[in-house]
Amino acid sequence: MKLPLKIVVGLLAIPLLVGGAKAMFDPTALIDRIGVAPSGVVGLSTIRGALGGLLMGSGAMILTGLIRKNTEWFLAVALLMTVATIGRLVGLGLDGVDPGAVTPAVVEAVIVAVMALAYMKL
């Protein structure tokens, strides 16, 4: 079970790193996809830093945990994704349900579950 779980954990790092790099280095390409339009330089900076940084940092923490064989890094990712999921749930409750908001919440919740499982089993 350990090897398949390590593979799944490693595979989770890829979209986080790629998505984070996309947000950081080409934020305007994400406008339609993420539903956020930047307001000038400050808005672009927020997408690059907050979104790109969160995603790339999460991917880097996953890889660090795998390389160093230290599963505490997975808890850090689980915490970040838990807070993001809570924020999405608050949005769904206050702003209404939209499939474009539900899908990322589910993905983040799955990441939380995988990270928690990896922390306990690896």
Side-chain angles (χ1 to χ4, degrees):
M1 167 143 164
K2 286 188 177 186
L3 182 60
L5 184 55
K6 286 181 182 179
I7 291 169
V8 169
V9 168
L11 289 174
L12 281 179
I14 296 168
L16 292 170
L17 291 167
V18 171
K22 189 76 166 169
M24 193 172 286
F25 297 106
D26 191 11
T28 57
L30 296 176
I31 290 172
D32 291 333
R33 192 165 159 222
I34 64 172
V36 175
S39 179
V41 172
V42 174
L44 288 169
S45 176
T46 300
I47 292 173
R48 291 178 198 277
L51 182 59
L54 169 74
L55 296 175
M56 287 182 75
S58 294
M61 286 188 281
I62 290 171
L63 292 180
T64 300
L66 285 172
I67 291 166
R68 294 187 175 210
K69 297 179 174 128
N70 182 346
T71 60
E72 289 182 6
W73 288 96
F74 303 155
L75 285 181
V77 175
L79 174 62
L80 289 172
M81 293 298 149
T82 297
V83 176
T85 304
I86 290 169
R88 292 203 191 266
L89 293 174
V90 168
L92 291 170
L94 296 177
D95 307 323
V97 177
D98 183 284
V102 172
T103 301
V106 171
V107 169
E108 289 158 355
V110 168
I111 292 171
V112 170
V114 171
M115 292 294 101
L117 180 66
Y119 170 74
M120 293 184 291
K121 298 293 182 182
L122 299 177

